[in-house]
Amino acid sequence: MVNAPPTLSIGLPVYNGEDFIAQALDSIQNQTFQDFEIIISDNASTDRTAEICKQYANKDSRISYSRSDKNLGAAWNYNRAFELATGKYFKWASHDDLCDPSYFNKCIDILEQDSSIVLCYANTTVINPAGELTSDYTEDLHLQSPKISERYRKFHQRFFEKYKCNAIFGIVRRDVLQETELIGHYEASDIVLLAELSLRGKVYEIPEHLFFRRDHPKMSGRANPTTESIAAWFDPTNTKKLITPMNRLLLEHVRSINRVPMSPLEKIRCLTSLVIFIRWKRRELTEETKQIVRVSAYRLSQRQARSS
């Protein structure tokens, strides 16, 4: 007899997460909503992560553990966790964060009540390495307009004041997420993914602070302080490439608009909203464009020198 797929799949990508992963798994297991599977994708950890995960998997049949023999980058690992999912809904979980026991239940209740909502998440409280509450953070991504272009415009306006993307750890319809390109192999690809989800449906913010984001020295943003290091964190092959993150973001926003079915008028309105992004990142875009021109000119001169 084949078991029915769970309502919710939780993808937990991890690399060297021995300090906090047990707490993260406990937080998931302690949810009031229990019809879920946990998919742990280990990106070649070198600490005790494998040992801890296998202990949990041996005690709970809902937990599966897979491991790569080589570190293939965070983007690959996040996407691998999704590819193994079977549930109606999906949630990424970080190995160092926690959720209030009511988080899953409240999000799924919202999604079940309104099929036009593609993503539901709760607001964030920041915690320190010891798990102590330090500050609240309101996401302000409650995008409820029935018009695609209006949701998209408000999405980009929000980034004038706030940059964090904790909503990516909300609960999303798996069939909708499957239509996207998931987490891209470039910096801030979670922003592009959230933007595309706002194109595909409404985003619902639960005003309660039910998500606990841990701030610690080993978290990705602090452990990778340069453009080059964060690019390599997403994908190790980026170390061989010219990194222009803002130009890449602009390009990927355009591509996501073209992927989503909508009327020509709505598409024009969405593309027009990217003016907000260009204004927001105009200095970085200008400097990167100059860098592209310089590198292109140098490579051209090298080719000409070799051919002469």
Side-chain angles (χ1 to χ4, degrees):
M1 184 176 179
V2 179
N3 293 330
T7 301
L8 174 64
S9 296
I10 302 150
L12 201 165
V14 62
Y15 172 72
N16 285 354
E18 66 177 2
D19 292 341
F20 304 116
I21 194 166
Q23 295 177 46
L25 289 167
D26 288 342
S27 174
I28 295 170
Q29 289 179 317
N30 290 335
Q31 291 291 309
T32 57
F33 184 88
Q34 288 286 303
D35 183 21
F36 58 72
E37 64 179 353
I38 303 173
I39 302 154
I40 303 173
S41 181
D42 185 353
N43 204 6
S45 292
T46 57
D47 62 1
R48 293 183 56 250
T49 294
E51 177 187 343
I52 296 168
C53 292
K54 288 176 182 178
Q55 289 173 354
Y56 274 82
N58 289 336
K59 295 177 182 178
D60 190 337
S61 62
R62 298 173 300 178
I63 300 176
S64 63
Y65 172 78
S66 65
R67 174 185 169 84
S68 171
D69 294 330
K70 179 182 178 182
N71 188 326
L72 298 171
W76 177 88
N77 207 23
Y78 270 73
N79 295 341
R80 177 60 175 165
F82 173 75
E83 289 165 1
L84 297 172
T86 62
K88 178 180 179 181
Y89 301 111
F90 180 81
K91 180 188 187 308
W92 274 302
S94 177
H95 77 273
D96 45 8
D97 299 331
L98 307 173
C99 291
D100 181 90
S102 66
Y103 190 111
F104 295 1
N105 230 335
K106 290 182 176 180
C107 287
I108 289 174
D109 281 348
I110 296 295
L111 290 162
E112 289 284 283
Q113 291 169 18
D114 188 347
S115 61
S116 68
I117 297 170
V118 299
L119 169 66
C120 182
Y121 70 92
N123 275 318
T124 301
T125 293
V126 180
I127 60 176
N128 64 19
E132 299 165 333
L133 310 184
T134 61
S135 62
D136 286 337
Y137 184 84
T138 303
E139 303 295 334
D140 289 332
L141 280 170
H142 189 63
L143 308 173
Q144 291 293 289
S145 173
K147 290 188 65 174
I148 297 174
S149 57
E150 181 66 13
R151 295 195 304 268
Y152 195 67
R153 182 182 64 82
K154 288 185 176 180
F155 175 89
H156 282 288
Q157 282 183 327
R158 178 260 197 191
F159 282 89
F160 273 127
E161 298 179 357
K162 296 186 175 183
Y163 190 74
K164 296 185 187 300
C165 288
N166 296 320
I168 202 69
F169 293 104
I171 295 180
V172 64
R173 296 184 188 276
R174 186 171 65 91
D175 59 344
V176 175
L177 189 55
Q178 201 160 21
E179 295 299 315
T180 72
E181 293 198 346
L182 303 176
I183 300 294
H185 293 240
Y186 54 91
E187 181 182 353
S189 55
D190 50 351
I191 294 178
V192 176
L193 177 55
L194 283 174
E196 182 167 342
L197 289 174
S198 76
L199 292 170
R200 294 183 179 274
K202 298 176 183 176
V203 178
Y204 192 99
E205 176 181 281
I206 295 174
E208 299 168 85
H209 293 264
L210 306 177
F211 177 59
F212 304 102
R213 188 75 188 266
R214 196 184 304 267
D215 184 15
H216 61 94
K218 294 181 181 179
M219 66 188 301
S220 59
R222 292 178 62 184
N224 300 283
T226 67
T227 297
E228 291 76 18
S229 62
I230 195 67
W233 178 79
F234 272 96
D235 184 346
T237 65
N238 284 335
T239 55
K240 303 174 184 178
K241 301 173 183 177
L242 173 64
I243 305 300
T244 55
M246 292 306 116
N247 277 272
R248 179 67 184 271
L249 269 185
L250 180 58
L251 174 63
E252 296 298 338
H253 278 309
V254 172
R255 286 174 172 170
S256 68
I257 291 170
N258 287 330
R259 276 195 299 271
V260 178
M262 66 182 84
S263 71
L265 180 58
E266 281 291 84
K267 185 164 292 190
I268 291 170
R269 287 170 174 165
C270 288
L271 289 169
T272 302
S273 290
L274 289 180
V275 172
I276 299 172
F277 173 84
I278 294 169
R279 286 174 54 205
W280 173 43
K281 290 296 182 181
R282 60 186 178 277
R283 290 182 181 176
E284 292 94 330
L285 286 164
T286 300
E287 289 304 313
E288 287 181 7
T289 301
K290 291 178 181 177
Q291 183 185 11
I292 292 170
V293 171
R294 287 195 298 268
V295 172
S296 298
Y298 173 77
R299 289 174 176 172
L300 177 60
S301 67
Q302 292 295 99
R303 286 198 299 269
Q304 289 174 339
R306 286 194 298 268
S307 61
S308 61

